[in-house]
Amino acid sequence: MNLNKIVKISLAVLGAAAFILWLQLPSSDAPVGEAVDSGAVHWMFMIVYFLLGVAVLFSVFFALKHMFANPQGLKRTLIGLAAFIVVIGLSYALSNGSDGTVETMAGRGVSTTESVVKNIGTGLNVFFLLVIIAIGSMLWGGVKKMFK
């Protein structure tokens, strides 16, 4: 039996199991607590987690295989990884945990610490810096194309 047939059969079995579980889901007028504790919901999430894990494993495997097969690709990947680490470091340095947010959150009944606020700020700064970099690279590519 070749791998293609094994994959097709296993996907058919998982699809049939998901369909059976879908038929066993609680009705829409069921209380939320009862719906969350449903065995069908639990097993559907297990199927989703399994398929997500398989997809991530295969994606990582083939990306690494391609990366190591091409030395130029490996070099570009390492440069990109180093640049990402620099963005994270810069974002961490720019974030501030003592800007009064801890007191504001405590006033709202949410207990937090300065390190949590600093980590959240770091995440936001990483996001914004990556958006700026993405927009800049798109504009740079467009401008380069215009002058060629």
Side-chain angles (χ1 to χ4, degrees), residues 60-139:
V60 169
F61 172 75
F62 285 113
L64 290 175
K65 179 181 172 190
H66 177 72
M67 187 175 61
F68 287 116
N70 182 3
Q72 195 65 16
L74 179 61
K75 179 182 173 185
R76 275 194 258 143
T77 301
L78 291 175
I79 290 171
L81 185 61
F84 187 63
I85 290 171
V86 167
V87 166
I88 291 173
L90 182 63
S91 297
Y92 187 78
L94 291 174
S95 67
N96 186 1
S98 60
D99 59 356
T101 308
V102 175
E103 293 82 17
T104 305
M105 296 304 281
R108 294 181 182 171
V110 179
S111 63
T112 188
T113 63
E114 281 190 26
S115 66
V116 170
V117 173
K118 188 167 177 78
N119 289 341
I120 292 170
T122 300
L124 291 171
N125 289 340
V126 167
F127 173 75
F128 292 131
L129 282 174
L130 290 177
V131 166
I132 290 168
I133 292 168
I135 292 171
S137 64
M138 286 188 290
L139 289 175

Side-chain angles (χ1 to χ4, degrees), residues 18-28 30 35 38-42 44:
F19 179 73
I20 291 169
L21 289 170
W22 181 64
L23 293 175
Q24 295 177 351
L25 286 175
S27 64
S28 61
S38 167
V41 171
H42 171 75
M44 286 188 86

